[in-house]
Amino acid sequence: MDSLILANIRQRPTRTLVSVVGVALGVVLILVNTGLVRGMLNDRMKREKGVGGEIRFLRPGSGVLTTSSLPLDVRYADRLKQIEGVKEVSPIGAYIQGGGTGIGLEAVEGIEFDSYSAMSGLRIIEGRIFQNDNEVIVDDFKAAKSKAKIGNEIDVFGKKLKVVGIYSPPSGARIKMSLTAMQNYLASTNKCTMIMVKCVTPEKQEEIQKRINETLPGNTVQLIRDLPSFERAIPGIDGFIKTILVLSTIVSSLVILLAMYTTITERTREIGILKSLGASKRFIISVIEKEAITISLIGVSVGLIAAFLIGWVIGATTTLQVEFQFSWIAIATLIGLAAGIGGAFYPAVRAANQDAVKALSYE
Amino acid sequence: MPILQTDNLMMTYRVGKVDVHALRGVNLNVEKGEFVSIMGHSGSGKSTLLHILGGLLKPTGGKVIVDGEDLAAVSDAQRTDIRRRKIGFVFQRFNLFPTLTAEGNLKLAEHVHGTSGNAELRREVLRLLKLENKMKHKPLELSGGEQQRVAIARAVINRPAIILADEPTGNLDSENSEIVLQMLVQLNRDIGQTIVMITHNPEAAEIANRKVLMRDGQIVSN
Ligand SMILES: Nc1ncnc2c1ncn2[C@@H]1O[C@H](COP(=O)(O)OP(=O)(O)O)[C@@H](O)[C@H]1O
Ligand SMILES: [Mg+2]
């Protein structure tokens, strides 16, 4: 029977190809999208941790992704610094704008260079530090992957700002300007978005978090290491991924359904022959299902390879990273297979229920 | 007890509001090892009878007992199962799987039957049908006579209780008809295969042990 299934698959190469592409498309949709979301979050996480502090201090209700103004008074920095166990503090202004690649959002930070570099170990590896409101520095990754090179201008606050330096290692937002410059652009003198806090003893960060809460009540005090769950709550991401899952399931199932449906009409007489040989309904359903599963498996494999290639190309040509997760690979594979099995079921049952004598005389 | 027995077999097709009485009380007994030919004009009910004998159709009345089991009294699934175990069909149009080789066609029949095949029987069948060198060919690479021999091999490979052949030489020239008929005779004689064959050709009918003539859905001479 295996040879019958393989022969059928080879018999109609175009149909097989179209079905394989359909299933592969579903797999690619799932993997590239979840991989992009994952890559964005992980990348942000890594850079967030790269800032070097263990705690961040914000106004209640203001997240990093929701800010477009500066709500926090910079003078909190001095008060935080006086709390026992706090080693260093650095105020940061955060501004989110549409991404330069057209996908996602891009963050810009206003920093006090001295306190920031002391905390994070950031240093200028090329060019120089910003000196006026029209200058920015970018990290080496962005400089390598985009047009943001020294001497070039990039769009921030709807203005053309000049890249004057490249820093490393990446931490926080990839584009940085002086906090004063950001305050001027956003008309918020002496304000910032958050204050990063570095502890004398990182192991005691929870204790210090508590102490900050007690000393300066009514503010949001977050541990950086707890951020993943916080960041994952990007509004709409869940719905977006669910839509992708439903969409790819529908696309794959429909493609398989159409392919198998035309196939069984074409092979009506062969189904009659199987019946004359004494093949049961179950046998006929299983022949058609096995063919669909084989096509789906090829589609899933092609989809996995394509997704990895696309991920690699995105990683190599843009500042975005695609990170594949085993669980999503498993889900995409299962959806591809389920679509094959589900899509072929109706045609298979129809074939199995055909009248044997009529099927045998089908032209 | 006969290997095949029908008792007052009736078949009425309903076409729109009209009833077509294709079989009107057929009583036929076939003993194990017999080679029976059925003749009759077009429309006399031969194919309908053969389809019922092989369990492809359920009669509207009467009994069909194949090797002790009544095909008229069981469910569709059971009829299919009896067909799988006891019947081998040979058709006028060969009905081989075009995408499979001769060997693939035989293997598929064995697979449906649920056996891995009896190597000795297979050799014997291929020798009798002179197909040893044709196994790697696909149907379109074979002549009509060769295709029909493959179809006969497929029918006999699982040693069914009965082979039912519906005008097996109807699509063959006289030379190939002769070869195919001789092979059926050989299978009947050498391995004792019971065969019921429909034919239009009086010479073909002659080679059988017994001739049955049908007219208007009844057996008129036996
Ligand atoms: N599926 C069917 N529906 C309606 N009438 C049928 C069908 N099959 C056969 N008949 C009719 O039954 C009669 C016997 O047909 P058939 O068994 O094919 O005869 P034969 O094989 O001897 O030519 C004919 O009148 C034919 O038109
Ligand atoms: Mg006929």
Side-chain angles (χ1 to χ4, degrees):
Chain A
M1 182 161 84
D2 296 346
S3 60
L4 175 64
I5 290 158
L6 291 180
N8 284 343
I9 287 173
R10 272 198 304 261
Q11 180 70 7
R12 286 263 166 268
T14 315
R15 179 216 59 156
T16 302
L17 188 74
V18 169
S19 329
V20 162
V21 168
V23 173
L25 193 72
V27 171
V28 167
L29 266 177
I30 295 172
L31 287 187
V32 170
N33 281 293
T34 57
L36 269 173
V37 168
R38 173 80 175 183
M40 272 160 62
L41 292 177
N42 273 356
D43 170 57
R44 274 193 65 81
M45 238 358 51
K46 227 163 39 198
R47 284 186 281 129
E48 214 67 65
K49 285 183 177 137
V51 178
E54 290 87 19
I55 296 171
R56 66 185 201 182
F57 180 89
L58 302 92
R59 287 300 297 162
S62 78
V64 171
L65 287 165
T66 52
T67 341
S68 58
S69 65
L70 305 177
L72 181 66
D73 199 305
V74 173
R75 280 169 295 193
Y76 272 108
D78 295 330
R79 300 178 62 183
L80 283 165
K81 186 120 192 213
Q82 277 150 26
I83 292 173
E84 193 193 331
V86 171
K87 188 177 171 199
E88 276 166 87
V89 295
S90 182
I92 297 170
Y95 177 75
I96 309 286
Q97 60 179 11
T101 42
I103 313 169
L105 301 169
E106 188 166 55
V108 183
E109 276 174 3
I111 58 169
E112 282 179 9
F113 191 82
D114 294 340
S115 67
Y116 192 93
S117 65
M119 187 181 283
S120 64
L122 169 149
R123 59 206 166 78
I124 299 288
I125 57 168
E126 211 186 319
R128 57 171 174 81
I129 180 185
F130 39 74
Q131 281 166 355
N132 63 48
D133 289 4
N134 296 323
E135 295 178 349
V136 296
I137 57 176
V138 299
D139 69 21
D140 48 353
F141 182 82
K142 186 169 178 68
K145 293 281 177 71
S146 74
K147 290 192 187 99
K149 313 214 187 288
I150 289 181
N152 288 355
E153 288 180 330
I154 58 176
D155 289 319
V156 184
F157 299 116
K159 295 191 174 63
K160 300 259 179 234
L161 302 191
K162 193 168 173 190
V163 178
V164 294
I166 295 169
Y167 68 88
S168 181
S171 67
R174 296 198 187 280
I175 305 172
K176 296 195 194 312
M177 58 172 48
S178 85
L179 180 56
T180 326
M182 184 173 279
Q183 286 165 350
N184 291 341
Y185 282 118
L186 295 175
S188 320
T189 317
N190 284 332
K191 293 288 186 71
C192 63
T193 308
M194 61 180 164
I195 298 169
M196 290 298 288
V197 176
K198 192 175 173 74
C199 306
V200 179
T201 321
E203 291 72 32
K204 290 189 181 155
Q205 54 183 286
E206 281 170 45
E207 204 178 297
I208 293 160
Q209 178 189 29
K210 218 168 116 207
R211 207 171 294 148
I212 296 172
N213 266 325
E214 281 161 8
T215 320
L216 302 167
N219 295 292
T220 303
V221 185
Q222 292 167 331
L223 298 183
I224 297 297
R225 67 158 195 238
D226 293 343
L227 285 185
S229 55
F230 167 76
E231 292 283 1
R232 211 160 282 163
I234 299 174
I237 276 293
D238 234 32
F240 172 71
I241 287 176
K242 275 186 194 135
T243 309
I244 295 282
L245 289 183
V246 171
L247 212 71
S248 55
T249 310
I250 291 174
V251 167
S252 308
S253 321
L254 275 183
V255 166
I256 294 280
L257 184 131
L258 276 175
M260 297 317 287
Y261 194 86
T262 51
T263 294
I264 61 142
T265 312
E266 218 169 61
R267 296 196 201 128
T268 301
R269 203 139 76 87
E270 293 178 27
I271 289 154
I273 302 172
L274 278 177
K275 289 187 166 235
S276 77
L277 291 172
S280 63
K281 288 185 182 182
R282 233 176 97 176
F283 185 97
I284 290 167
I285 290 175
S286 85
V287 170
I288 292 165
E289 282 290 3
K290 280 179 190 168
E291 183 176 339
I293 290 170
T294 308
I295 291 174
S296 303
L297 275 178
I298 300 172
V300 166
S301 314
V302 170
L304 289 179
I305 294 169
F308 288 135
L309 283 178
I310 291 169
W312 179 79
V313 169
I314 289 176
T317 56
T318 72
T319 55
L320 297 167
Q321 294 299 302
V322 184
E323 280 178 36
F324 298 109
Q325 256 177 298
F326 179 76
S327 54
W328 282 114
I329 293 175
I331 287 170
T333 303
L334 285 180
I335 284 183
L337 279 180
I341 295 169
F345 190 68
Y346 171 67
V349 169
R350 242 183 96 101
N353 282 329
Q354 262 164 12
D355 180 77
V357 175
K358 275 193 197 126
L360 278 167
S361 57
Y362 187 84
E363 292 300 327
Chain B
M1 188 174 158
I3 197 147
L4 177 71
Q5 197 174 5
T6 74
D7 179 20
N8 198 26
L9 199 59
M10 304 280 202
M11 184 66 196
T12 305
Y13 292 107
R14 187 147 193 126
V15 184
K17 284 184 178 156
V18 182
D19 282 345
V20 179
H21 299 285
L23 298 181
R24 313 160 183 254
V26 171
N27 296 299
L28 174 70
N29 286 354
V30 176
E31 297 296 331
K32 194 166 192 299
E34 261 196 300
F35 188 164
V36 175
S37 68
I38 300 177
M39 292 196 57
H41 292 298
S42 182
S44 59
K46 306 181 298 296
S47 294
T48 300
L49 175 62
L50 208 76
H51 291 151
I52 291 175
L53 297 182
L56 286 175
L57 277 180
K58 188 184 165 90
T60 47
K63 285 185 184 168
V64 202
I65 296 164
V66 174
D67 205 9
E69 298 181 82
D70 187 356
L71 289 178
V74 299
S75 69
D76 284 0
Q78 283 168 306
R79 229 186 340 273
T80 301
D81 193 54
I82 295 170
R83 177 164 70 247
R84 178 178 64 78
R85 288 184 281 114
K86 308 221 158 143
I87 304 293
F89 271 107
V90 176
F91 301 97
Q92 179 175 354
R93 299 165 58 181
F94 321 139
N95 278 343
L96 296 171
F97 277 85
T99 54
L100 297 180
T101 60
E103 187 175 27
N105 271 280
L106 296 190
K107 285 204 169 134
L108 182 64
E110 288 170 344
H111 183 80
V112 172
H113 189 250
T115 53
S116 53
N118 174 340
E120 203 179 319
L121 171 69
R122 173 189 259 265
R123 259 199 306 279
E124 173 76 359
V125 167
L126 295 184
R127 191 185 58 74
L128 277 175
L129 296 171
K130 298 200 169 36
L131 284 170
E132 292 106 324
N133 303 323
K134 306 292 178 191
M135 284 293 99
K136 299 292 172 205
H137 293 273
K138 290 191 178 171
L140 286 179
E141 300 158 6
L142 297 171
S143 73
E146 288 166 340
Q147 286 187 55
Q148 193 61 302
R149 275 145 57 194
V150 174
I152 293 169
R154 178 177 68 181
V156 81
I157 201 87
N158 296 316
R159 281 319 312 269
I162 308 164
I163 283 191
L164 301 172
D166 193 345
E167 301 194 34
T169 60
N171 272 4
L172 301 177
D173 56 33
S174 57
E175 192 184 335
N176 274 303
S177 294
E178 185 56 32
I179 294 171
V180 162
L181 288 170
Q182 280 314 314
M183 287 178 171
L184 287 173
V185 169
Q186 265 189 347
L187 286 174
N188 173 247
R189 205 179 48 209
D190 292 5
I191 62 174
Q193 178 63 56
T194 310
I195 300 173
V196 175
M197 174 180 75
I198 293 173
T199 183
H200 264 124
N201 178 351
E203 284 166 40
E206 284 306 324
I207 63 153
N209 309 137
R210 181 151 65 97
K211 285 188 283 180
V212 169
L213 186 63
M214 286 188 74
R215 186 179 299 149
D216 293 338
Q218 286 178 319
I219 291 179
V220 290
S221 97
N222 196 336

